[in-house]
Amino acid sequence: MSTASTLSEIGRQLEDSASLGRAVDELLAARTEAPTLLALGEPTHGIKAFPLLRNELLVQLVERGYRSIVLEADVFAAFLVDDYVSGGEADIEKVLVTGFSHGFGAVPGNRELVEWLREYNHGRAPADRVRFYGFDAPVEYSGAPSPRRALSAVGDFLPAALQPQAHDDVDLLLGQDTDWSNPAAMFDPAASIGDSDQARLLRIIADDLGSILRRAAPVLRPADPGGYDRALAQARTALGLLRYHAAMASSAPDRIGTLLSLRAEMMAENLLAIVAQEQRRGPSLLFAHNAHLLRVQSEMPVSEDVVSWGSAGSLVGLVLGERYVFLATDANPDSDPGTLQGALADATTRRALFPTPALRAALGPSIAAGEPILPGHLPLKPSELDGADAVIFVADTDGQRHRYW
């Protein structure tokens, strides 16, 4: 039997939303534990087919008890979106611009997502609403911000009696925010202040603030659960940003890999906090780049090198085990024969889901990864199939990217 015919038997064709829901039900029914975090990846940002698939899947999952969606967006910026979809008064244009980091508010499918969430939540009790979260660190490819906002937010939340004396020195130690956000520091370690004496003292203060918050949880959280959770997120972020700035100041050869792994650590911490917050309401749908969600080491070309790091998915998967499920996606219907993408395209009508254990068994040992559709697309590699529970291949896309930046 040929590989194409075998894959056609393995694949579940996703012709509409209902068949998408049934295919995911079938996949999850074979697991020993129900997921608390179901992740859907995309191989690049800006191609509308993937966010639209996410929106379809969310509708199906909400019918099955899911009560939150988590996106690759700044954890703090996303609070604005969550407030809006919960009925808050705001202009949707502002929400799309400021509530999504990386410019993702302009990606097709995200406006539709926000509008659907707001409509669904209207008139529902808070326990039944679908919440919106971001799980990304507040960093960009151009650099990282000052930790001032995060440190100040924690200090403002803590009662005066609990604030460490050193917190009074924070503003003096921080100096000018522009010294932290200097874009030259992303490429030149000497331009970073992350390894200065002031930065090292700030890391101690940030660690102390987080410790105080955690130890005072029995008193502080019952009085203001939402405020406490946000303050704890700020404390995690302050410490994470200070680690990130310290790595920016390093001239070690694996500097970029370290930065990516520190971002992944912050992502994973945020995801586990969201899972803990949502555990009594229902599972969550997570959507981000495949590279952030794989259970195996992620790889990315940077200049002439290939950088490898442990993704957020690999970190979260170690904690959640079977309760973390990852559906990777890919596309490129014109891939060459002999490639993973070419084999999947031959077995796909419009979209199809392939469980990875059966997929790996059906592929020949010489199978290779296809070429990118466009710059920034990271085609799935056969070696990465071990890091996913299934692959959804999308054949009906022209591969055109919406310019979101």
Side-chain angles (χ1 to χ4, degrees), residues 28 31-39 272 275 293 295 312-326 387 389:
L28 299 182
R31 302 181 70 81
T32 58
E33 289 188 82
T36 55
L37 193 60
L38 174 60
L272 292 173
V275 167
L293 304 178
R295 282 203 193 84
S314 66
L315 297 173
V316 168
L318 289 173
V319 178
L320 298 183
E322 282 276 297
R323 293 179 296 141
Y324 176 68
V325 176
F326 173 42
D389 297 286

Side-chain angles (χ1 to χ4, degrees), residues 257-298:
T258 299
L259 291 173
L260 289 168
S261 65
L262 285 168
R263 181 187 176 195
E265 180 187 27
M266 288 189 273
M267 286 178 157
E269 288 177 343
N270 289 331
L271 285 172
L272 292 173
I274 292 166
V275 167
Q277 289 171 226
E278 290 292 318
Q279 62 182 335
R280 291 181 177 85
R281 295 194 335 119
S284 302
L285 172 64
L286 168 63
F287 182 71
H289 198 289
N290 286 334
H292 296 310
L293 304 178
L294 286 163
R295 282 203 193 84
V296 294
Q297 287 285 106
S298 292

Side-chain angles (χ1 to χ4, degrees), residues 48 51-52 54-55 106-114:
K48 66 181 180 180
L52 293 179
R54 172 206 64 198
N55 292 356
V107 171
N110 282 337
R111 177 187 292 272
E112 293 85 349
L113 171 66
V114 172

Side-chain angles (χ1 to χ4, degrees), residues 2-285:
S2 69
T3 299
S5 59
T6 302
L7 292 185
S8 295
E9 293 180 1
I10 293 170
R12 298 294 178 263
Q13 300 301 322
L14 311 177
E15 299 299 341
D16 53 25
S17 297
S19 58
L20 171 62
R22 289 194 298 270
V24 173
D25 284 344
E26 182 180 329
L27 180 75
L28 299 182
R31 302 181 70 81
T32 58
E33 289 188 82
T36 55
L37 193 60
L38 174 60
L40 177 70
E42 60 177 350
T44 189
H45 298 307
I47 295 179
K48 66 181 180 180
F50 302 112
L52 293 179
L53 173 65
R54 172 206 64 198
N55 292 356
E56 278 189 64
L57 180 58
L58 177 65
V59 173
Q60 295 294 312
L61 294 177
V62 167
E63 293 178 357
R64 291 156 170 79
Y66 283 61
R67 287 296 175 264
S68 57
I69 182 167
V70 189
L71 265 58
E72 186 181 337
D74 177 349
V75 60
F76 305 114
F79 291 150
L80 176 64
V81 184
D82 186 53
D83 290 342
Y84 179 77
V85 302
S86 297
E89 294 300 323
D91 178 69
I92 189 170
E93 302 301 334
K94 179 181 179 182
V95 170
L96 291 171
V97 171
T98 60
F100 290 80
S101 51
H102 317 308
F104 289 168
V107 171
N110 282 337
R111 177 187 292 272
E112 293 85 349
L113 171 66
V114 172
E115 290 175 341
W116 184 86
L117 288 169
R118 185 175 172 91
E119 181 179 354
Y120 180 88
N121 288 337
H122 180 69
R124 296 182 187 271
D128 295 327
R129 294 173 186 161
V130 180
R131 296 200 59 187
F132 182 99
Y133 291 96
F135 78 106
D136 204 354
V139 300
E140 296 288 350
Y141 295 116
S142 57
S146 164
R148 183 186 305 277
R149 182 180 69 169
L151 288 168
S152 298
V154 180
D156 291 344
F157 179 80
L158 282 174
L162 293 179
Q163 292 182 3
Q165 183 176 355
H167 188 260
D168 296 338
D169 301 327
V170 164
D171 281 336
L172 181 63
L173 291 170
L174 283 167
Q176 298 297 314
D177 286 350
T178 51
D179 292 337
W180 295 90
S181 59
N182 179 7
M186 193 66 194
F187 306 99
D188 180 8
S192 172
I193 64 169
D195 195 37
S196 64
D197 291 341
Q198 294 92 326
R200 286 193 288 272
L201 287 172
L202 285 166
R203 285 178 70 176
I204 295 172
I205 294 171
D207 184 62
D208 286 345
L209 288 170
S211 175
I212 292 168
L213 267 176
R214 291 187 294 273
R215 286 182 280 125
V219 174
L220 297 179
R221 197 178 191 284
D224 183 3
Y228 176 84
D229 289 338
R230 292 188 180 190
L232 198 58
Q234 296 279 14
R236 291 195 306 270
T237 298
L239 191 55
L241 280 175
L242 286 161
R243 293 187 186 118
Y244 197 88
H245 280 287
M248 290 175 73
S250 169
S251 57
D254 61 346
R255 177 174 177 269
I256 298 299
T258 299
L259 291 173
L260 289 168
S261 65
L262 285 168
R263 181 187 176 195
E265 180 187 27
M266 288 189 273
M267 286 178 157
E269 288 177 343
N270 289 331
L271 285 172
L272 292 173
I274 292 166
V275 167
Q277 289 171 226
E278 290 292 318
Q279 62 182 335
R280 291 181 177 85
R281 295 194 335 119
S284 302
L285 172 64

